[in-house]
Amino acid sequence: MRISPLIDRLIDSLQAQPGVGPKTATRTALHLLQYNRAGALALATALTDAAQQVQHCRLCRTLTESELCAICANPKRDAGALCIVESPSDIVAIEQAGGFGGRYYVLHGRLSPIDGVGPEELGLNALAEHVRASGAKEVILATNPTVEGEATAHYVKESLHESGTSVTRIAHGVPLGGELEYIDGGTIAHALQGRRRID
Amino acid sequence: MRISPLIDRLIDSLQAQPGVGPKTATRTALHLLQYNRAGALALATALTDAAQQVQHCRLCRTLTESELCAICANPKRDAGALCIVESPSDIVAIEQAGGFGGRYYVLHGRLSPIDGVGPEELGLNALAEHVRASGAKEVILATNPTVEGEATAHYVKESLHESGTSVTRIAHGVPLGGELEYIDGGTIAHALQGRRRID
């Protein structure tokens, strides 16, 4: 239903958010206009500031408005371990899990020749130099276990072959709390292949 | 996890939207910054424009940036039937259901003495005059079937007593597709009480 030009435009614009369709957008627009105009204006300012000022960290390429992100600027983070991820949200997921004290490198995508995404777009040409300069002893490949993610991991491994750096891949297998009978065959095959001796 | 001051502020501001918590807000912020900055800036403009310019329709009090909303300005809408609702989103719901060709009056709330919401805040003092001026033959009470909604409906009915206008209440009962065994007792009691002879 069309309400008024400005409200309709707000409803359309709200759908730029992932997972927000016409119904949620309508509810959100009316809620903000009825009860929280200050919040709507604060959100508008935050969107403008972030969209105009957020860029990529000079070292790890994650999103930040500073030259260096908080992790790269933190001297306590271990420069010896470099974790390669596809996107900034992967960093959020790994940081929230805790337990990793190293640094990151964000590809902003994965190799996908069909979409015109090659090594250049992912910053892979600069990666070997970055690894050398950072003094990383171990490069951990945390790209997603999809066809493109695996191809990307393979490419990175090959491109670091000459550097002599140790390259590892995160484990893929049965997730915690997962029950074997509900897990797909590919995951089970990975879990069997990646089995380890228990001492 | 704190990412950077501007991104953190965006994540906080996104949570002004109903149903959006930290996890959805983080995903939304990173998605907009990675893939859709133009959409983020368009959303910022739409939010600012709407929050600054949207007011209440002079006649029915719904949200619009014009003096009159699209329904009040539409001469084809039947001035003989006036439907009283709690909020603009109720108008959206009724319009989407179709079948009602009359006009509306928005209370922007319901009587709730505890929260300091009295007849003045709901525009109920102006309602009798509005009904007289609009020439409505029937006033349909479509407030929600809650304690406050029922109290509000009762108040409106009383306040229109002298006007001689016919006052009706929308039916409450078993929803279409609802199965009796899963429906609460209050609804079934209403459905029995509101039973009608079939001819």
Side-chain angles (χ1 to χ4, degrees):
Chain A
M1 175 206 168
R2 305 276 80 185
I3 301 175
S4 83
L6 281 189
I7 301 178
D8 294 344
R9 180 151 63 83
L10 175 55
I11 291 171
D12 290 343
S13 305
L14 283 165
Q15 295 176 52
Q17 302 175 100
V20 175
K23 207 153 183 170
T24 305
T26 304
R27 196 163 60 94
T28 302
L30 294 176
H31 174 91
L32 290 174
L33 291 172
Q34 272 189 284
Y35 305 115
N36 197 358
R37 299 215 183 190
L41 290 171
L43 174 54
T45 312
L47 281 164
T48 308
D49 290 351
Q52 288 176 344
Q53 295 174 44
V54 168
Q55 312 194 353
H56 289 177
C57 170
R58 181 169 58 79
L59 286 181
C60 76
R61 310 203 330 149
T62 195
L63 294 166
T64 178
E65 68 269 24
S66 319
E67 197 198 347
L68 291 183
C69 73
I71 292 176
C72 286
N74 182 350
K76 289 185 187 156
R77 302 289 301 215
D78 177 14
L82 187 74
C83 182
I84 316 260
V85 295
E86 290 182 15
S87 80
S89 42
D90 298 331
I91 297 185
V92 174
I94 295 175
E95 289 294 300
Q96 275 172 347
F100 179 69
R103 292 161 182 272
Y104 295 94
Y105 191 78
V106 181
L107 302 178
H108 289 289
R110 59 203 86 170
L111 286 179
S112 179
I114 287 180
D115 305 317
V117 180
E120 181 69 39
E121 284 74 21
L122 302 183
L124 290 179
N125 297 340
L127 180 59
E129 171 58 23
H130 178 68
V131 168
R132 203 187 57 72
S134 71
K137 303 272 182 296
E138 178 183 2
V139 168
I140 302 165
L141 298 172
T143 53
N144 289 315
T146 57
V147 173
E148 291 98 340
E150 294 291 356
T152 309
H154 185 74
Y155 184 96
V156 173
K157 189 193 171 343
E158 291 299 311
S159 69
L160 294 178
H161 185 63
E162 293 175 6
S163 70
T165 318
S166 159
V167 180
T168 56
R169 181 92 173 99
I170 56 169
H172 296 113
V174 180
L176 293 198
E179 297 194 43
L180 278 181
E181 64 173 312
Y182 298 115
I183 287 176
D184 65 295
T187 300
I188 291 181
H190 262 94
L192 279 171
Q193 213 180 353
R195 69 189 181 277
R196 299 197 305 183
R197 180 184 300 276
I198 48 174
D199 302 309
Chain B
M1 176 206 168
R2 306 277 78 185
I3 301 176
S4 82
L6 281 188
I7 301 178
D8 294 344
R9 179 151 63 83
L10 176 55
I11 292 171
D12 290 343
S13 305
L14 283 165
Q15 294 176 52
Q17 301 175 99
V20 174
K23 207 153 182 169
T24 305
T26 304
R27 196 163 61 94
T28 302
L30 293 177
H31 173 91
L32 290 174
L33 291 173
Q34 271 191 285
Y35 305 115
N36 197 357
R37 299 214 182 192
L41 290 171
L43 174 55
T45 312
L47 280 163
T48 308
D49 290 350
Q52 287 177 344
Q53 295 174 44
V54 168
Q55 311 193 354
H56 289 176
C57 170
R58 181 169 57 79
L59 286 182
C60 77
R61 311 204 328 149
T62 194
L63 293 167
T64 178
E65 68 269 23
S66 319
E67 197 199 347
L68 290 183
C69 73
I71 292 175
C72 286
N74 183 349
K76 289 184 187 154
R77 302 290 300 217
D78 176 15
L82 187 74
C83 182
I84 315 257
V85 295
E86 291 182 16
S87 80
S89 43
D90 298 331
I91 296 186
V92 174
I94 295 174
E95 288 295 300
Q96 274 171 349
F100 178 69
R103 292 162 184 271
Y104 295 94
Y105 191 79
V106 181
L107 303 178
H108 290 289
R110 59 203 87 170
L111 286 179
S112 179
I114 287 181
D115 305 318
V117 179
E120 180 68 40
E121 284 74 20
L122 302 183
L124 290 179
N125 297 342
L127 181 58
E129 170 58 24
H130 177 69
V131 168
R132 203 188 55 73
S134 70
K137 304 272 182 295
E138 177 183 2
V139 169
I140 301 165
L141 298 172
T143 53
N144 289 315
T146 57
V147 173
E148 291 98 340
E150 293 292 354
T152 309
H154 185 74
Y155 185 95
V156 172
K157 188 194 172 343
E158 290 300 310
S159 69
L160 294 177
H161 186 63
E162 292 174 7
S163 70
T165 318
S166 158
V167 179
T168 57
R169 181 91 172 101
I170 56 169
H172 296 113
V174 179
L176 292 199
E179 296 193 43
L180 278 181
E181 62 174 314
Y182 298 115
I183 287 176
D184 65 294
T187 300
I188 291 181
H190 262 94
L192 278 170
Q193 211 180 354
R195 69 190 181 277
R196 298 199 305 185
R197 178 184 302 274
I198 49 175
D199 302 310

